[in-house]
Amino acid sequence: MRIGIGHDTHRLQPGGPLRLGGVDIPHDREMIGYSDADVLLHAITDALLGAVALGDIGQMFPESDPLNQGRDSAEMLRAALNDVLALGWRIANLDCIVFAQRPKLLTHRQTIRERLAAILDLEIERIGLQAKTGESIGIIGREEAISAQCVVLLQQKKEE
Ligand code: MG
């Protein structure tokens, strides 16, 4: 087995919608980034790459490459997953935390989990998603940024 951890933070600016976990959530703020700034997908991508010691998302998709500007983070996550699969691993489960003062993620949790299941071609029961506020303090609580963390467990694929 292998375990990987990923973390990411993106700043917020007025606008919307909020792209999170591959889902466009109606909101009055959006995240800033070189790609589509999907902080949750970036944390998952780094967790996968970390589990197989393949570096991180910035190394795989450098900001120096104009092709990565505005890039769909689901595409980057798929690329990382394909590398993991090619090395003979499969995802046992993943657990994620999103740190956001607003919006309330409870009503969007199922939609995001379904989207993650589709991107990762994985049963939804293997995808945990938790949401935390910033308790109205710090960069999260002041709604200056949203952060995400992910832990992923990989298992060796069985011989067929
Ligand atoms: Mg990022």
Side-chain angles (χ1 to χ4, degrees), residues 8-10 35 37-39 42 57:
D8 198 23
T9 299
H10 279 266
S35 67
D38 193 321
V39 71
H42 292 180
I57 191 170

Side-chain angles (χ1 to χ4, degrees), residues 7 47 55 62 70 72 75 82 84 88 150 160:
H7 178 98
D72 181 356
E75 193 188 309
N82 286 339
V84 166
C150 176
E160 275 153 26

Side-chain angles (χ1 to χ4, degrees), residues 55-131:
D56 59 32
I57 191 170
Q59 192 180 331
M60 198 169 186
F61 298 98
E63 290 189 5
S64 53
D65 186 347
L67 276 179
N68 295 328
Q69 191 166 7
R71 193 163 199 152
D72 181 356
S73 295
E75 193 188 309
M76 299 195 273
L77 175 53
R78 279 298 310 192
L81 176 66
N82 286 339
D83 284 355
V84 166
L85 297 175
L87 287 168
W89 299 97
R90 68 176 194 88
I91 298 174
N93 79 303
L94 55 104
D95 194 15
C96 310
I97 312 175
V98 173
F99 300 82
Q101 188 64 35
R102 285 190 313 125
K104 281 259 176 278
L105 290 177
L106 188 62
T107 52
H108 305 286
R109 169 150 50 189
Q110 188 64 9
T111 312
I112 293 173
R113 288 177 69 227
E114 283 168 7
R115 177 77 176 118
L116 295 178
I119 296 168
L120 296 167
D121 194 19
L122 189 67
E123 299 98 318
I124 196 164
E125 295 77 18
R126 295 176 184 269
I127 301 170
L129 181 60
Q130 312 173 39

